[in-house]
Amino acid sequence: MALSSDPLPAPCAERLPLTTIIPRAWIGFGKAPWQCVGLTALTLIVVTGLGVLARDLQESGNRSLAIAGDVLLLLSIPASLGPLVSLLRLADQLLPTVTGSEAAVNASRKKPLHWLIRQTTALAVLEGVVLIGGLSVIRILSRLIASYSGVLSIAVLALGSLALAAWALSQILALPLLVHHGHRPLAAMEHSRTLVQANRIKVLALLGLLMGVNLLGLMGACLGLLLSIPFSALLMMASCRTQTPWDRDSRRNMLPT
């Protein structure tokens, strides 16, 4: 899995089009609602099915079956990447197209699905390593300092947790950017970081919007997730259609077409 970074557009000039993502997502969902719901159902079946089977094996009382359950639980994560990437790719294709300066960027949609899945797997591995490594470092430092000062240990734990949470927030757009632009993992992570830094308030608003949509989806015996998850995917992919201030093509495409 190649991890070399790709050249990025000038990220400092990008602005998140928060005011237009809802109408764009609604237009996209109306084009193929059943395909969106079908891919969402497949993703949920893979995740919940493997998760329930893994839990049953873990609680069987047999050590070999318990180990098999642990392995199956770990495999449920990469197994769900295929349907998830397919859903994001479909969402990217359903959204209203943009013209002008972003037309060349959108040629990345021609990337084959297996390439996107490979890059997504590499991205998940990289971010998982960073998160696990960060948590381990914070835990070790906190324990070492605890023998000298309990207050300082708590401070290190709190500051480390905040720093790790801020990093995780900066990667919220990494996967959508990878799918939309055809980035490799490192380029997607860097692009997400710079985009989030330039749009902190908007990203927090986007996160709140996604949480609200999926909380609504949890109502009605969780069947609403079949609608809220694809709509969330459309919102995420619409967020990748960034705008450049004072750019003529950008101003012309601020509203859905």
Side-chain angles (χ1 to χ4, degrees), residues 26-198:
W26 182 253
I27 292 172
F29 186 77
K31 290 181 180 179
W34 293 112
Q35 292 184 43
C36 294
V37 171
L39 282 173
T40 303
L42 179 60
T43 304
L44 292 175
I45 288 171
V46 171
V47 173
T48 57
L50 292 179
V52 170
L53 181 58
R55 183 177 178 181
D56 290 341
L57 290 175
Q58 289 172 337
E59 295 178 353
S60 63
N62 185 290
R63 184 174 181 181
S64 299
L65 292 178
I67 295 175
D70 294 336
V71 173
L72 188 61
L73 186 62
L74 291 175
L75 290 177
S76 66
I77 299 175
S80 63
L81 290 180
L84 178 60
V85 173
S86 299
L87 177 61
L88 291 174
R89 191 186 192 194
L90 175 64
D92 192 42
Q93 294 170 348
L94 292 176
L95 288 167
T97 57
V98 286
T99 58
S101 60
E102 292 189 11
V105 175
N106 290 336
S108 62
R109 296 180 185 178
K110 298 180 181 179
K111 296 281 187 181
L113 181 60
H114 62 83
W115 186 90
L116 290 174
I117 293 176
R118 285 204 312 269
Q119 303 308 317
T120 301
T121 303
L123 177 66
V125 170
L126 279 174
E127 294 190 340
V129 168
V130 172
L131 283 173
I132 294 174
L135 288 172
S136 299
V137 170
I138 293 171
R139 184 178 179 182
I140 292 173
L141 287 176
S142 179
R143 285 187 173 182
L144 289 175
I145 298 175
S147 58
Y148 299 99
S149 172
V151 174
L152 187 57
S153 174
I154 294 175
V156 169
L157 184 62
L159 291 175
S161 300
L162 287 174
L164 197 59
W167 178 86
L169 180 63
S170 73
Q171 299 303 309
I172 188 175
L173 294 174
L175 180 55
L177 288 169
L178 185 150
V179 174
H180 178 66
H181 289 282
H183 285 326
R184 295 185 185 275
L186 292 178
M189 294 170 69
E190 176 62 18
H191 195 172
S192 177
R193 184 188 66 80
T194 53
L195 186 58
V196 170
Q197 283 185 346

